[in-house]
Amino acid sequence: MKTVFSGIQPSGELHVGNYIGAIDNWVKMQEQYRCIYCVVDYHAITQDYTVKDMSPRVRDMALDILALGVDPEKAILFVQSAVPEHTELAWIFNAVTGHGDLERMTQFKDKAEHQPENINAGLFSYPVLQAADILLYKAELVPVGADQVQHLELARRIARSFNHRWGKVFPECEPKLTETPKVLGLDGKQKMSKSLGNHIPLTAIEEKPLRKLLGKMVTDEKRVTREDPGNPDDCNVYSFHKMFSTEDDRAWVWQGCTTAGIGCVDCKGRLAQRMLERFAPYRERRAELLAHPGRVDEILRAGADKARAIAQRTMAEVRGKLGLWR
Ligand code: ADP
């Protein structure tokens, strides 16, 4: 059975892009593979954060992942810093990672641009720790969004270099993308992202806040008035209908928009309805978990025990290959 690994930073709330681009696959893949999912707090410290918020954020992220349907009976869910082998393997991988390769990473360039006052070495070698996260479990499939594909190519190169220098230990890992690996934000132009503030947090998928957020969503800019026909293919709202609505809804939107039979308010109203329906089980499970504080910590502790056992086996093999003193 193939092993699956994926991680997410505890940097605030999950949004629709995270769900549609990655977590949706986390939930689906647990039915078929050995799945290991991780809240990556050591990655999060490469960006500015408030110390007292870290623990609650980790717990909230785990709670959201569970509410979306990751089942601790089927998948391992744990926190990265509870398994220190991640950082040990990352150090070893540093020795087989090209400086030039890291310099080419577009996410590093983006992040460095966003926080020019704190361009630390951790931010630079982030993909090395990410490679260690995945390969510690010898994972072959990594459900992520399109923005992570470049990092996974590097992870493959690192595995190859390690195997070449010290002997075969690691498999080649590849990204597992969803049908929509890049969800655009409310601006309809850039990738939906917390840091860009163009996101729809999952917790905002409630009647009033959702309708308010969708109200701000940019539509086909060439459709100026209600009387102008629009082009759904140039409209981000229509791409959301593709993710959340039925075929009948989409036909209704297409027909109505191209003939100016419906306005954007009608179209967004139908979308809101479908999104509320899709996330109803999430809201229910979330409320249930919130009513049982302690349950999430229990799941994370049990998950860390299982993850650590696998990680320790891999590290024993790695130390042997390196010829380290014992
Ligand atoms: P953000 O960019 O909002 O900080 P993260 O970097 O924490 O989000 O991403 C967590 C996961 O969600 C990754 O697998 C990433 O590829 C995926 N993801 C993030 N934003 C999007 C998006 N807009 N569309 C598709 N997938 C996304």
Side-chain angles (χ1 to χ4, degrees):
M1 186 191 282
K2 282 192 177 173
T3 298
V4 171
F5 179 94
S6 197
I8 188 154
Q9 287 199 55
S11 48
E13 309 161 295
L14 275 178
H15 57 73
V16 171
N18 300 138
Y19 170 69
I20 292 289
I23 313 270
D24 191 27
N25 262 349
W26 291 24
V27 177
K28 287 179 181 145
M29 292 174 96
Q30 67 185 352
E31 305 301 332
Q32 214 181 329
Y33 302 104
R34 175 170 83 150
C35 292
I36 303 172
Y37 300 132
C38 184
V39 181
V40 291
D41 51 351
Y42 273 151
H43 283 284
I45 65 166
T46 60
Q47 283 174 285
D48 299 330
Y49 73 99
T50 308
V51 169
K52 73 172 174 33
D53 292 344
M54 181 58 103
S55 255
R57 277 187 164 193
V58 165
R59 202 171 289 117
D60 285 353
M61 181 55 74
L63 189 146
D64 253 354
I65 293 167
L66 294 165
L68 283 170
V70 166
D71 178 351
E73 301 289 318
K74 295 177 182 161
I76 295 174
L77 177 67
F78 73 105
V79 182
Q80 187 185 30
S81 63
V83 183
E85 284 77 7
H86 285 248
T87 48
E88 187 183 357
L89 185 58
W91 177 252
I92 293 166
F93 281 171
N94 269 320
V96 286
T97 307
H99 190 274
D101 282 340
L102 288 174
E103 269 176 333
R104 275 192 289 279
M105 295 295 117
T106 51
Q107 204 171 68
F108 168 68
K109 291 184 211 161
D110 286 352
K111 283 187 179 164
E113 214 174 282
H114 271 98
Q115 55 172 54
E117 67 296 337
N118 183 12
I119 307 176
N120 56 76
L123 202 60
F124 185 66
S125 60
Y126 188 110
V128 181
L129 180 56
Q130 188 175 350
D133 298 336
I134 298 162
L135 294 169
L136 195 50
Y137 303 97
K138 302 189 180 183
E140 291 150 285
L141 291 172
V142 188
V144 283
D147 56 349
Q148 294 299 324
V149 169
Q150 193 188 32
H151 286 171
L152 292 186
E153 274 164 19
L154 181 57
R156 274 201 298 281
R157 236 183 346 267
I158 291 173
R160 255 180 251 139
S161 302
F162 179 103
N163 291 344
H164 180 72
R165 182 166 170 191
W166 287 302
K168 173 120 174 62
V169 174
F170 298 110
E172 301 247 328
C173 57
E174 51 180 279
K176 172 77 180 162
L177 301 178
T178 65
E179 266 174 42
T180 318
K182 183 179 175 184
V183 177
L184 297 183
L186 291 168
D187 53 7
K189 290 192 173 66
Q190 304 186 77
K191 179 192 102 154
M192 182 178 285
S193 171
K194 285 169 283 222
S195 52
L196 295 172
N198 63 356
H199 61 301
I200 303 179
L202 297 189
T203 49
I205 305 185
E206 300 266 0
E207 191 71 41
K208 262 195 174 164
L210 179 64
R211 287 185 196 272
K212 202 166 161 204
L213 275 176
L214 292 184
K216 285 197 262 176
M217 197 166 185
V218 176
T219 57
D220 172 9
E221 283 172 322
K222 290 185 292 309
R223 188 177 187 195
V224 183
T225 69
R226 168 82 168 72
E227 280 65 43
D228 298 326
N231 180 1
D233 280 336
D234 286 339
C235 183
N236 196 29
V237 180
Y238 188 67
S239 59
F240 271 60
H241 273 291
K242 288 189 197 157
M243 301 173 216
F244 294 105
S245 299
T246 63
E247 254 177 57
D248 286 350
D249 290 328
R250 288 199 292 279
W252 172 80
V253 169
W254 188 275
Q255 163 73 14
C257 178
T258 52
T259 58
I262 61 165
C264 296
V265 174
D266 309 310
C267 171
K268 288 176 174 179
R270 180 69 62 95
L271 175 63
Q273 193 186 327
R274 295 300 178 223
M275 288 178 74
L276 286 165
E277 283 162 15
R278 170 79 73 94
F279 288 99
Y282 157 79
R283 285 197 303 277
E284 237 173 69
R285 276 194 294 257
R286 193 166 192 280
E288 207 177 290
L289 285 164
L290 283 171
H292 295 93
R295 175 93 184 100
V296 175
D297 283 334
E298 252 169 53
I299 292 170
L300 290 175
R301 266 195 293 273
D305 288 345
K306 289 184 199 158
R308 209 176 296 118
I310 306 169
Q312 285 173 351
R313 276 202 300 278
T314 305
M315 285 317 296
E317 194 183 350
V318 166
R319 289 189 210 106
K321 292 282 188 196
L322 263 67
L324 300 177
W325 178 87
R326 274 292 175 274

